[in-house]
Amino acid sequence: MAVERVLFLTIAVLTHGIVGYALVRAFTDVNPTGGFFLGILPDVDFLFPAAWGAPFIHRGITHTALFLIAIVTVASLWRSRKRLELASGLAVGSHLVIDSWSPMGVSWLFPLGIGVSGDLPVHGPTGTLVLWALSIGLLVWRGQRPLSTVADSR
C-alpha cells in the first residue's frame, strides 16, 4: 500500500476518533477515551480478510444502522450509572453520518441496499480541518461548563 494511502487512512480514522471523543466529552459523563475508540469502531472492517467478501468489506456491515443499533443495545445492557448507550450512539453514529457525506456513502438500511451518499470530500484536507475545528470547538465549549450541567440536562 502506498505511503499516501496509509497516511490518508490514518488521518481519516483519527478524525473519526477525535469527533467521537469530542461528542462523548461534550454530551455525556462517560470517559471520552471510550468515545475515541467507539468513533473508529466501524472501521474495524479494515481488519476483515478480503476473502470474506460482502458484507464484510469496507463500508459494509459495520457501516449500517443495524451495526449502530447492535452497539447501542450492547451498551444499554451494560450496568452502569453512566449513559453508555448515548455515548455509543453519538460516537458510532457520528462515524456513519460523516461517511454518509462522502461519495462512497453508507448503506444505512442494510440489507435492503438503501444507502446515503454525498459528494463532499469529508476526508480531504478541508473536510478534515472542518471536522477537527468543530471537535476542538466542542471541547472548548464543554470545558467551560461543569459536568453536572450535562448530567442535569437529561
Side-chain angles (χ1 to χ4, degrees):
M1 188 180 292
V3 172
E4 295 85 16
R5 181 74 177 152
V6 170
L7 183 60
F8 170 82
L9 291 175
T10 300
I11 292 171
V13 169
L14 286 174
T15 298
H16 286 300
I18 289 166
V19 171
Y21 180 97
L23 287 169
V24 168
R25 177 143 187 251
F27 298 110
T28 76
D29 57 350
V30 175
N31 183 335
T33 303
F36 180 87
F37 290 107
L38 286 163
I40 65 173
L41 184 61
D43 280 338
V44 71
D45 56 13
F46 279 119
L47 303 176
F48 296 162
W52 287 4
F56 302 102
I57 57 172
H58 183 55
R59 304 257 180 113
I61 191 76
T62 63
H63 284 73
T64 66
L66 183 64
F67 182 76
L68 176 62
I69 291 166
I71 296 301
V72 171
T73 300
V74 168
S76 71
L77 296 173
W78 199 282
R79 298 292 177 221
S80 173
R81 293 183 326 193
K82 298 181 183 204
R83 301 286 309 267
L84 297 178
E85 66 275 8
L86 177 60
S88 300
L90 287 169
V92 175
S94 70
H95 186 121
L96 301 182
V97 168
I98 291 167
D99 281 356
S100 291
W101 287 100
S102 74
M104 188 175 180
V106 168
S107 181
W108 278 94
L109 296 181
F110 171 86
L112 301 176
I114 300 171
V116 175
S117 66
D119 196 22
L120 298 175
V122 292
H123 292 302
T126 302
T128 298
L129 286 174
V130 167
L131 290 169
W132 286 35
L134 290 171
S135 297
I136 291 168
L138 264 179
L139 292 171
V140 169
W141 170 71
R142 169 58 185 90
Q144 295 177 354
R145 44 187 214 134
L147 184 58
S148 61
T149 304
V150 175
D152 293 342
S153 66
R154 289 187 214 138

